[in-house]
Amino acid sequence: MIFDPFNHHQPSHAFNNMGEKVLWGSPPMPEFPECWYVGGYSEALQVLKSPAFVHDRSKVSGLIPLADFSGEGLTFWRQIAEWPLFLDAPEHTAKRQVVGSYFREGAILQLEQFIKKETETLLDAALSKKTIDIMWDIAYPLTLAVICHLIGLNPPEIKWFKSRVRSLADTMDLRTGIHDYQPSLATVKDFYSFFATEIKERPSDKSLLGYMLGNGISQEDVLPILLQLLFAGQETSADAIGMSVITLADNPEAHQTLVKKPELIENAVREILRVESPIQYSGIRIATQDKEIGGKHIRRGDCVLIAIAACNKDDRHFIQPNTVDFTRDNNGPDLSFGHGIHYCLGVHLARLEIRIVLQTLLRKLPENWHIESYEMRKNILFKGPTSLKIKLGL
């Protein structure tokens, strides 16, 4: 039976129910061929660690990059393919080194006071209302302010920003069907225009943008880096904050454990990200040689996708993987931020933002807060609420 990811909103259930961890499945997007889906922890590590799996199809003889696309689809994916996330070594390594020092744990910790102040300001303003929308009152404006502060940009208006970011996310949705690429092409154009205006204002040399421009990186090369950082640095972090609040509400025992033992906050953040990964699937990789993964023969030229959410709940690796346990003694890192050379640059920033938001909410919200309603985004790749209203009191 061929695996159809579009019928499985919970990838972990699909792989655990079928028993196998490497499945031959339907195309991740209409323009792509069928591919392998990897939903096992150890099998995913084999792929992510191996230089035999690449993003660039031209590294496999006879395959042309983006050969399955044409017209507006080809134009869009050519632009996205310039993101460092989708580059292979040595191009990826070179671009990662440009921005890497700004995302090291020590550098990110210097943002702690800024994030705390922003969170306090946003929550204090929201507490004047009986109902708080965690996403629009806190998660979205906070994560946008933080990533813009780090890059050296003036934050754009939040509704303008979110409408455009969502058009990109919708186009990347593995489930969408035949895509209308025009909204996303317009979005890329809008963001590049926004960046060009910011560059003209000459950002501080201490900012990431100022550093890149001051070290001879052309504006043409800077633009795709900025778009990836702004998209990933805001979208997935905000989703993770939303899922953190939902996780606390849905797991009162774990919630109370954290209230009684606040020193478990770092472990709690990691556990939430494991159970509710904001990214459900990895980017597509191509096998440059025949490989045996999970007992399956992956041929040279085959496409491979990592089902991150399934790997994070692999019952061979995590004991009672569907249980939220803030005291869990993890026997290996989760794969929410990937692994290998593409390990997410923003891991320390995302964890810090989630930690600070949870600590602030636990300190300032009344004990009897509860979720009034929430709506989840309709996207098989990204997981998070688009609205999350909590009520203060009964």
Side-chain angles (χ1 to χ4, degrees):
M1 182 176 66
I2 192 167
F3 176 57
D4 182 1
F6 315 135
N7 290 330
H8 299 283
H9 292 281
Q10 295 292 333
S12 58
H13 294 169
F15 282 93
N16 286 335
N17 290 341
M18 294 180 184
E20 298 184 65
K21 300 302 181 183
V22 181
L23 300 170
W24 184 247
S26 59
M29 298 181 72
E31 299 92 339
F32 276 84
E34 293 172 338
C35 76
W36 293 101
Y37 290 85
V38 178
Y41 185 91
S42 61
E43 291 82 0
L45 285 183
Q46 283 182 264
V47 174
L48 294 171
K49 287 180 176 180
S50 174
F53 293 94
V54 300
H55 292 288
D56 185 354
R57 302 184 81 195
S58 68
K59 293 182 179 178
V60 183
S61 178
L63 294 180
I64 302 171
L66 302 174
D68 304 297
F69 293 87
S70 61
E72 292 179 344
L74 179 60
T75 302
F76 173 77
W77 285 109
R78 274 178 175 166
Q79 293 173 327
I80 300 303
E82 295 175 356
W83 290 14
L85 176 64
F86 300 116
L87 296 175
D88 301 308
E91 296 87 359
H92 169 268
T93 307
K95 290 196 174 181
R96 187 183 180 98
Q97 287 176 343
V98 169
V99 301
S101 63
Y102 281 78
F103 288 89
R104 292 194 182 107
E105 186 171 13
I108 291 302
L109 285 175
Q110 294 179 24
L111 295 172
E112 185 163 3
Q113 292 308 312
F114 177 83
I115 298 172
K116 283 182 176 179
K117 183 178 178 181
E118 290 290 318
T119 304
E120 295 266 355
T121 299
L122 291 167
L123 183 56
D124 286 346
L127 284 171
S128 63
K129 303 181 290 185
K130 292 183 179 179
T131 299
I132 298 174
D133 190 325
I134 292 293
M135 304 311 293
W136 286 100
D137 290 335
I138 298 171
Y140 291 157
L142 173 68
T143 51
L144 179 58
V146 172
I147 192 63
C148 285
H149 178 76
L150 189 155
I151 295 173
L153 300 170
N154 293 304
E157 196 276 325
I158 189 67
K159 290 185 177 179
W160 178 93
F161 174 80
K162 289 304 298 181
S163 67
R164 283 152 180 80
V165 161
R166 282 185 179 160
S167 76
L168 288 179
D170 289 345
T171 302
M172 295 177 190
D173 186 357
L174 306 179
R175 183 183 54 179
T176 304
I178 301 300
H179 288 75
D180 175 9
Y181 287 97
Q182 190 55 48
S184 287
L185 287 172
T187 286
V188 174
K189 185 177 180 180
D190 284 348
F191 273 125
Y192 280 10
S193 177
F194 165 67
F195 295 147
T197 300
E198 292 289 299
I199 288 171
K200 284 181 182 177
E201 294 184 8
R202 185 56 189 172
S204 164
D205 289 338
K206 293 183 179 179
S207 69
L208 173 55
L209 179 54
Y211 171 80
M212 288 192 290
L213 295 174
N215 281 270
I217 301 175
S218 69
Q219 182 169 322
E220 182 181 8
D221 287 336
V222 163
L223 295 180
I225 296 175
L226 291 179
L227 185 52
Q228 179 193 317
L229 292 177
L230 197 60
F231 176 85
Q234 189 280 325
E235 191 77 344
T236 54
S237 293
D239 284 346
I241 289 170
M243 292 311 303
S244 297
V245 174
I246 292 173
T247 300
L248 290 184
D250 287 348
N251 298 273
E253 187 173 330
H255 184 181
Q256 285 306 307
T257 296
L258 190 57
V259 170
K260 294 174 182 176
K261 297 182 177 180
E263 67 273 13
L264 291 175
I265 186 65
E266 298 281 1
N267 212 47
V269 170
R270 284 173 167 78
E271 177 72 344
I272 291 168
L273 286 166
R274 181 191 68 80
V275 175
E276 300 292 359
S277 173
I279 300 290
Q280 301 284 287
Y281 290 92
S282 72
I284 296 167
R285 288 169 169 81
I286 313 296
T288 61
Q289 56 185 259
D290 288 6
K291 281 283 185 180
E292 287 288 328
I293 304 287
K296 300 297 176 65
H297 181 66
I298 297 177
R299 297 168 300 174
R300 187 171 187 267
D302 282 353
C303 295
V304 177
L305 267 174
I306 307 296
I308 294 171
C311 297
N312 281 345
K313 294 183 180 179
D314 186 342
D315 52 10
R316 303 168 309 168
H317 189 78
F318 298 101
I319 298 171
Q320 296 183 313
N322 293 301
T323 300
V324 177
D325 181 4
F326 294 159
T327 66
R328 181 185 298 276
D329 182 14
N330 290 314
N331 52 340
D334 61 78
L335 297 182
S336 299
F337 295 97
H339 195 84
I341 69 167
H342 288 91
Y343 187 63
C344 179
L345 271 174
V347 55
H348 302 302
L349 179 59
R351 287 174 178 165
L352 180 61
E353 288 174 323
I354 298 165
R355 170 171 70 79
I356 290 173
V357 169
L358 288 182
Q359 287 174 323
T360 307
L361 291 175
L362 290 171
R363 179 165 48 86
K364 290 206 164 194
L365 290 184
E367 290 186 9
N368 57 352
W369 71 268
H370 61 278
I371 292 179
E372 184 177 70
S373 64
Y374 67 90
E375 294 181 12
M376 295 296 293
R377 61 192 306 165
K378 296 176 175 65
N379 193 304
I380 202 171
L381 179 59
F382 302 100
K383 183 176 184 179
T386 57
S387 174
L388 173 53
K389 295 180 180 179
I390 66 171
K391 197 171 180 66
L392 308 179
L394 300 175

